[in-house]
Amino acid sequence: MARFMDVHSGMNGIDQQGLEAAHLADAQIEGDENVHFLHAWADPATGKVFCLSEAPDKDAVLRIHEKAGHPTSEIYEIALEVE
Amino acid sequence: MARFMDVHSGMNGIDQQGLEAAHLADAQIEGDENVHFLHAWADPATGKVFCLSEAPDKDAVLRIHEKAGHPTSEIYEIALEVE
């Protein structure tokens, strides 16, 4: 399993309820592709949402987001991290 | 204190040692601006690096990155998150 950061644009005005609903929609089907979403961060002012996940590959993450109703094509494989 | 996600581009080929060195350079001066970097994620293949921080405002984060030698202008205020 690898880690990925994907980026959604255009989600301006999303609120906490909307973010939780989107995350739940992903979570309910993520097992279909062996994806697990770990965290999501949103900036309603610019419409950017960042999602961190574990998955077999990029396409698996993108398919779950698409099926859940919030498709994106911007995704990065996280090979390195520090805290 | 608010939370921010900033994005660096063009760091292609960065390795674990380089990411840790960049993070350390930030950490050594972050107190000057009351910034605290929480986590960084890197994709050496595309050169993208994402940094999560707590700070008084966006400009404080950007000043620390600039002083540490890895400036960026792309930053988002994280008003919402889920895990």
Side-chain angles (χ1 to χ4, degrees), chain A residues 5-75:
Chain A
M5 184 77 83
D6 67 75
V7 185
H8 301 258
S9 298
M11 299 187 80
N12 303 70
I14 191 169
D15 60 9
Q16 185 69 32
Q17 189 175 9
L19 186 65
E20 287 176 7
H23 189 66
L24 182 61
D26 288 323
Q28 286 174 331
I29 59 171
E30 64 180 18
D32 296 353
E33 299 271 5
N34 294 313
V35 173
H36 181 50
F37 288 98
L38 299 166
H39 210 109
W41 298 266
D43 176 12
T46 64
K48 289 281 184 183
V49 178
F50 302 87
C51 300
L52 183 69
S53 63
E54 289 178 339
D57 55 46
K58 290 180 182 177
D59 286 344
V61 178
L62 298 185
R63 279 193 297 268
I64 294 298
H65 275 330
E66 185 171 11
K67 288 179 190 171
H70 38 261
T72 182
S73 60
E74 186 176 358
I75 187 166

Side-chain angles (χ1 to χ4, degrees), chain A residues 5 14-16 19-20 23 38-44 46 48 50 52 76-83, chain B residues 5 14-16 19-20 23 38-44 46 48 50 52 76-83:
Chain A
M5 184 77 83
I14 191 169
D15 60 9
Q16 185 69 32
L19 186 65
E20 287 176 7
H23 189 66
L38 299 166
H39 210 109
W41 298 266
D43 176 12
T46 64
K48 289 281 184 183
F50 302 87
L52 183 69
Y76 304 95
E77 182 165 350
I78 301 302
L80 310 172
E81 53 188 296
V82 294
E83 62 182 321
Chain B
M5 184 78 83
I14 192 169
D15 59 11
Q16 185 68 31
L19 186 64
E20 288 176 6
H23 188 67
L38 299 166
H39 210 112
W41 298 267
D43 176 10
T46 64
K48 289 282 184 184
F50 302 88
L52 183 69
Y76 305 95
E77 182 164 350
I78 300 303
L80 312 172
E81 52 189 297
V82 294
E83 63 182 319

